[in-house]
Amino acid sequence: MKIVQNAANDTLTLGLDGELDASSSVLLDNELTKPEILNYRKVMIDCQRLNYISSAGLGVFISHLQRFQDAGVKLVFFNMQEKVHNVFEILGLDSLMTIVPSEQEATAI
């Protein structure tokens, strides 16, 4: 999996490209663990090219959710493919996390 970063003002966008599985979840965890990420008001996750997410990948987001909330950082997912979105829905994570259809909607939050 490849992670593309784009920072603008108080927002960091991470574009995920490929499969987020046990081995690649370590890369994402390293990005989300960096202390400077808490300097942003919002972290947007672009899932347009995310083809697959495993329980390990979901675990990375879940493990950082409280830390982000405590720091006042919004975590927003957008452009999620239906098959990936279904995983979030089945596990009830769509009620814990902000998931919107488009980048425009993610930016507006």
Side-chain angles (χ1 to χ4, degrees):
M1 186 185 74
K2 183 177 167 186
I3 302 172
V4 178
Q5 288 190 22
N6 182 20
N9 301 320
D10 58 356
T11 301
L12 175 66
T13 302
L14 298 177
L16 306 183
D17 188 346
E19 297 183 351
L20 182 52
D21 55 19
S23 60
S24 60
S25 65
V26 175
L27 298 170
L28 179 61
D29 188 53
N30 289 341
E31 289 299 320
L32 296 178
T33 302
K34 292 179 179 177
E36 59 267 21
I37 203 164
L38 298 180
N39 295 333
Y40 294 97
R41 185 183 66 81
K42 186 183 334 180
V43 175
M44 300 189 338
I45 309 295
D46 184 353
C47 301
Q48 184 172 14
R49 295 176 186 244
L50 180 63
N51 300 320
Y52 169 82
I53 188 165
S54 71
S55 58
L58 291 166
V60 170
F61 291 121
I62 293 167
S63 70
H64 290 281
L65 191 58
Q66 188 65 51
R67 180 173 154 253
F68 280 16
Q69 288 175 347
D70 291 347
V73 177
K74 294 180 183 177
L75 181 62
V76 183
F77 298 83
F78 68 98
N79 284 343
M80 195 174 282
Q81 293 184 32
E82 186 176 350
K83 61 186 173 184
V84 173
H85 191 264
N86 287 343
V87 174
F88 279 76
E89 281 184 330
I90 289 167
L91 297 174
L93 297 176
D94 58 328
S95 64
L96 292 175
M97 301 179 185
T98 304
I99 304 170
V100 296
S102 69
E103 183 173 7
Q104 183 179 12
E105 290 173 82
T107 303
I109 291 177

